């Protein structure tokens, strides 16, 4: 057994009881999944010639379009938590690469909406469609109880990761 396998199996500094070992096994599986997902996102960005923020923007625009919501530059900036100047640069880059277009707002002549192109939707589907179908097949294969347990677990993990502890007092 390698040092890494011993460390992973031992649970690092945690007690060596059954519950802790189950927890460590789950957290290690989650880490391996996250590493695979990170690698997949990198491959997707590379194949589409985009940076992380570009890909997040395109995903948000496609989801909004499917939901029937228009997205203004301000909406995109708020979603990405970037400045309006950065949003303008991002949109310029995505327009130049033919991933999005600026369209007139349907009711406000002074405003614009940002719309993903049909080619972008096709490109995302071609790049991610097969993988998403494999993932959905696995998720659909869960029993109702297992699906509920996984969803609750992941939501609680998200809450744990999002929790910000107060900064320690300086010495």
């Amino acid at each position: 057994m390698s040092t890494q396998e011993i460390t992973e199996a031992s649970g690092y500094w945690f007690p060596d009881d059954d519950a802790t070992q189950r927890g460590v096994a789950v957290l290690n599986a989650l880490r391996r999944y996250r590493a695979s997902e990170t690698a997949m996102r990198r491959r997707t960005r590379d194949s589409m010639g985009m940076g992380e923020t570009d890909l997040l923007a395109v995903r948000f625009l496609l989801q909004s379009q499917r939901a029937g919501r228009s997205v203004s530059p301000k909406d995109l900036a708020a979603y990405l938590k970037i400045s309006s100047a950065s949003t303008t640069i991002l949109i310029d880059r995505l327009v130049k690469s033919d991933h999005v277009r600026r369209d007139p707002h349907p009711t406000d002549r002074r405003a614009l909406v940002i719309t993903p192109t049909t080619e972008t939707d096709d490109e995302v589907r071609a790049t991610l469609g097969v993988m998403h179908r494999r993932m959905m097949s696995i998720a659909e294969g869960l029993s109702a109880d297992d699906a509920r347990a996984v969803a609750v677990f992941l939501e609680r993990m998200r809450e744990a990761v999002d929790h910000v502890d107060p900064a320690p007092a300086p010495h």
Side-chain angles (χ1 to χ4, degrees), residues 33 35-60 62 94 97 99 119-132 134-135:
Y33 170 79
S36 292
E37 184 180 41
T38 298
M40 177 272 302
R41 287 185 184 279
R42 186 173 38 261
R43 289 189 308 271
T44 302
R45 287 192 317 267
D46 291 349
S47 76
M48 293 183 73
M50 294 183 167
E52 179 70 20
T53 303
D54 299 37
L55 193 59
L56 289 171
V58 165
R59 188 180 79 190
F60 175 68
L62 288 168
L94 292 173
S97 66
H99 285 103
E119 294 78 17
T120 296
D121 192 27
D122 293 345
E123 185 178 8
V124 168
R125 286 175 189 272
T127 304
L128 300 174
V130 173
M131 187 248 333
H132 281 167
R134 284 192 310 260
M135 292 172 67

Side-chain angles (χ1 to χ4, degrees), residues 17-122:
D17 59 45
D18 287 343
T20 300
Q21 290 307 307
R22 283 192 310 273
V24 167
V26 168
L27 291 180
N28 283 331
L30 188 58
R31 283 186 196 99
R32 288 189 300 274
Y33 170 79
R34 287 181 57 226
S36 292
E37 184 180 41
T38 298
M40 177 272 302
R41 287 185 184 279
R42 186 173 38 261
R43 289 189 308 271
T44 302
R45 287 192 317 267
D46 291 349
S47 76
M48 293 183 73
M50 294 183 167
E52 179 70 20
T53 303
D54 299 37
L55 193 59
L56 289 171
V58 165
R59 188 180 79 190
F60 175 68
L61 291 166
L62 288 168
Q63 289 171 342
S64 296
Q65 184 180 54
R66 287 185 193 116
R69 291 188 312 266
S70 296
V71 177
S72 70
K74 184 177 178 181
D75 297 330
L76 188 57
Y79 175 76
L80 296 171
K81 297 178 177 65
I82 60 176
S83 70
S84 60
S86 294
T87 303
T88 299
I89 293 168
L90 168 70
I91 293 169
D92 288 345
R93 187 170 56 244
L94 292 173
V95 166
K96 185 177 180 181
S97 66
D98 292 324
H99 285 103
V100 304
R101 54 178 203 273
R102 290 179 173 97
D103 291 327
H105 192 280
T107 59
D108 184 349
R109 292 185 324 182
R110 299 165 295 160
L112 293 172
V113 294
I114 309 305
T115 308
T117 62
T118 303
E119 294 78 17
T120 296
D121 192 27
D122 293 345

